[in-house]
Amino acid sequence: MSEGGYGIDSHKLVYHVGRVNDWLEGRDIYPIYIEAAPAGGCNQRCIFCGLDYTSHKARFMDVTSWKRFVKIASKKGLKSVLLSGEGEPFLHPEISEFSISAGKEGVDAAIATNGFLMTEDVSGKVLPALSWLRVSLDAATDKTYSLIHGVRKECFGTVLENLAKAVKIKKKNGYKVTIGAQFLLLNENIKEVKKAAVIARDTGLDYFSVKPYSKHPLSINEAGTEVDYEGLLRLEKQLEKFSDDGFSVIFRKSAIKRKLREKSYRRCLGLPFWAYINSAGDVYPCSTFLGLKKYCIGNITREKFSDIWEGGKRERVMKVLGGMDARKCRELCRLDEINTYLWKLKNPPAHVNFI
């Protein structure tokens, strides 16, 4: 199934050849992409939440520290930021400042949200500064949405209204932002995936992405662990018919197949290309270890990002992480396909010149 031109079910490191070459030659590179959490709290209690173990602390990232960070990081080669993380980004009262400040520094910004707080007023402020915005839909009825997202049934209608208003704002002003929805396949919602695709299309979204569940090692929930994903590969053909010239259904077949097979790499090689910043400003090389202080390499509210990235703490933590067996780490992590790609570059087969 077509990815609609977004490359969602693959990695994009192939478009950053210069940075990859620097890495291959042993240079200490800066990240291309960073995921950051403007807010630590969340207004929903999804049964699939990978960061449920954090207890969703009601804290907000300091905007001044964020602006200093993005100014420094952009000059060091940062290309994009995803505002998401351990909480709901729209809980931050100054959420628009995060995307706007990134854009001013030439950094692409995106937001992943549950969409409930994405009012017409807020959308009008953030959409002009975003490359894309994605809402977790995960249902086609208010009953199922309520069950999966842990909220009142009426919330489903509010999310759909917010999405429709965002689409209207985008089209009226000619904004280039891509607006999509994500559907996480669970036993609780499998029967509604096709209906949800129709809802997404009729709402005017650009795409509807269907993906498998990936359990965070520290998460206490078990949602999705019992799903027969191999049996669900048949959904690809069933969902194709809902795509048209202005709307793409992206069935993440590659992710499902990777979930069903053992990793081909032994070490996590992609860590230098990304990082995670939590709502307190703590920087982690990997979100798998979020909250474990021994893996925190610094804090953007107290330190310059350049000092953090080039500091001794990061060097020590990277050595520890680099020695871990990646085959025992989280399945389908954000670096999975990147690691597969980098492992091949580091461990090429025989006769590579016979292209």
mmCIF file of all heavy atoms in Angstrom, residues 53 218 284 288-296:
data_model
loop_
_atom_site.group_PDB
_atom_site.id
_atom_site.type_symbol
_atom_site.label_atom_id
_atom_site.label_comp_id
_atom_site.label_asym_id
_atom_site.label_seq_id
_atom_site.Cartn_x
_atom_site.Cartn_y
_atom_site.Cartn_z
ATOM 1 N N TYR A 53 4.070 4.360 33.289
ATOM 2 C CA TYR A 53 4.884 4.221 34.497
ATOM 3 C C TYR A 53 5.401 5.569 35.021
ATOM 4 O O TYR A 53 5.877 5.668 36.154
ATOM 5 C CB TYR A 53 6.072 3.290 34.237
ATOM 6 C CG TYR A 53 7.115 3.857 33.302
ATOM 7 C CD1 TYR A 53 8.234 4.534 33.790
ATOM 8 C CD2 TYR A 53 6.991 3.720 31.926
ATOM 9 C CE1 TYR A 53 9.181 5.069 32.940
ATOM 10 C CE2 TYR A 53 7.929 4.244 31.058
ATOM 11 C CZ TYR A 53 9.023 4.923 31.579
ATOM 12 O OH TYR A 53 9.954 5.448 30.723
ATOM 13 N N LEU A 218 9.258 -0.594 30.314
ATOM 14 C CA LEU A 218 8.901 -0.195 31.673
ATOM 15 C C LEU A 218 7.389 -0.016 31.865
ATOM 16 O O LEU A 218 6.932 0.255 32.975
ATOM 17 C CB LEU A 218 9.620 1.107 32.052
ATOM 18 C CG LEU A 218 11.154 1.056 32.029
ATOM 19 C CD1 LEU A 218 11.732 2.421 32.361
ATOM 20 C CD2 LEU A 218 11.668 0.012 33.008
ATOM 21 N N TYR A 284 17.790 12.658 27.333
ATOM 22 C CA TYR A 284 18.110 11.233 27.320
ATOM 23 C C TYR A 284 18.509 10.810 25.902
ATOM 24 O O TYR A 284 17.888 11.262 24.934
ATOM 25 C CB TYR A 284 16.913 10.394 27.752
ATOM 26 C CG TYR A 284 16.542 10.534 29.212
ATOM 27 C CD1 TYR A 284 15.721 11.577 29.647
ATOM 28 C CD2 TYR A 284 16.996 9.628 30.165
ATOM 29 C CE1 TYR A 284 15.374 11.718 30.978
ATOM 30 C CE2 TYR A 284 16.650 9.753 31.501
ATOM 31 C CZ TYR A 284 15.842 10.797 31.903
ATOM 32 O OH TYR A 284 15.500 10.929 33.229
ATOM 33 N N THR A 288 13.641 4.853 25.863
ATOM 34 C CA THR A 288 13.444 3.588 26.576
ATOM 35 C C THR A 288 13.852 3.719 28.038
ATOM 36 O O THR A 288 13.305 3.047 28.913
ATOM 37 C CB THR A 288 14.266 2.462 25.904
ATOM 38 O OG1 THR A 288 13.781 2.270 24.574
ATOM 39 C CG2 THR A 288 14.143 1.150 26.668
ATOM 40 N N PHE A 289 14.793 4.618 28.301
ATOM 41 C CA PHE A 289 15.317 4.772 29.661
ATOM 42 C C PHE A 289 14.814 6.051 30.331
ATOM 43 O O PHE A 289 15.401 6.508 31.305
ATOM 44 C CB PHE A 289 16.837 4.745 29.622
ATOM 45 C CG PHE A 289 17.382 3.502 28.972
ATOM 46 C CD1 PHE A 289 17.823 3.523 27.660
ATOM 47 C CD2 PHE A 289 17.411 2.306 29.662
ATOM 48 C CE1 PHE A 289 18.311 2.375 27.051
ATOM 49 C CE2 PHE A 289 17.897 1.149 29.059
ATOM 50 C CZ PHE A 289 18.345 1.185 27.754
ATOM 51 N N LEU A 290 13.731 6.604 29.792
ATOM 52 C CA LEU A 290 13.158 7.819 30.360
ATOM 53 C C LEU A 290 12.820 7.627 31.840
ATOM 54 O O LEU A 290 12.142 6.685 32.224
ATOM 55 C CB LEU A 290 11.894 8.195 29.589
ATOM 56 C CG LEU A 290 11.083 9.363 30.136
ATOM 57 C CD1 LEU A 290 11.900 10.642 30.076
ATOM 58 C CD2 LEU A 290 9.786 9.523 29.344
ATOM 59 N N GLY A 291 13.305 8.546 32.658
ATOM 60 C CA GLY A 291 13.030 8.488 34.090
ATOM 61 C C GLY A 291 14.112 7.809 34.901
ATOM 62 O O GLY A 291 14.163 7.959 36.120
ATOM 63 N N LEU A 292 15.003 7.089 34.224
ATOM 64 C CA LEU A 292 16.115 6.432 34.918
ATOM 65 C C LEU A 292 17.288 7.410 34.902
ATOM 66 O O LEU A 292 17.967 7.586 33.894
ATOM 67 C CB LEU A 292 16.481 5.120 34.223
ATOM 68 C CG LEU A 292 15.349 4.086 34.127
ATOM 69 C CD1 LEU A 292 15.828 2.834 33.394
ATOM 70 C CD2 LEU A 292 14.817 3.730 35.509
ATOM 71 N N LYS A 293 17.516 8.069 36.017
ATOM 72 C CA LYS A 293 18.455 9.183 36.092
ATOM 73 C C LYS A 293 19.879 8.844 35.649
ATOM 74 O O LYS A 293 20.602 9.715 35.158
ATOM 75 C CB LYS A 293 18.478 9.739 37.524
ATOM 76 C CG LYS A 293 17.217 10.499 37.904
ATOM 77 C CD LYS A 293 17.047 11.743 37.021
ATOM 78 C CE LYS A 293 15.830 12.557 37.425
ATOM 79 N NZ LYS A 293 15.663 13.750 36.557
ATOM 80 N N LYS A 294 20.280 7.601 35.815
ATOM 81 C CA LYS A 294 21.651 7.261 35.427
ATOM 82 C C LYS A 294 21.874 7.357 33.920
ATOM 83 O O LYS A 294 23.011 7.377 33.446
ATOM 84 C CB LYS A 294 22.026 5.873 35.925
ATOM 85 C CG LYS A 294 21.238 4.718 35.316
ATOM 86 C CD LYS A 294 21.732 3.394 35.900
ATOM 87 C CE LYS A 294 20.984 2.205 35.318
ATOM 88 N NZ LYS A 294 21.484 0.911 35.889
ATOM 89 N N TYR A 295 20.764 7.422 33.162
ATOM 90 C CA TYR A 295 20.883 7.555 31.714
ATOM 91 C C TYR A 295 20.607 8.986 31.238
ATOM 92 O O TYR A 295 20.654 9.263 30.045
ATOM 93 C CB TYR A 295 19.917 6.598 31.009
ATOM 94 C CG TYR A 295 20.231 5.147 31.274
ATOM 95 C CD1 TYR A 295 19.398 4.370 32.084
ATOM 96 C CD2 TYR A 295 21.356 4.547 30.733
ATOM 97 C CE1 TYR A 295 19.680 3.037 32.340
ATOM 98 C CE2 TYR A 295 21.651 3.217 30.977
ATOM 99 C CZ TYR A 295 20.810 2.466 31.785
ATOM 100 O OH TYR A 295 21.101 1.156 32.030
ATOM 101 N N CYS A 296 20.309 9.898 32.167
ATOM 102 C CA CYS A 296 20.102 11.303 31.816
ATOM 103 C C CYS A 296 21.461 11.959 31.597
ATOM 104 O O CYS A 296 22.362 11.833 32.423
ATOM 105 C CB CYS A 296 19.340 12.010 32.936
ATOM 106 S SG CYS A 296 19.152 13.779 32.693
#
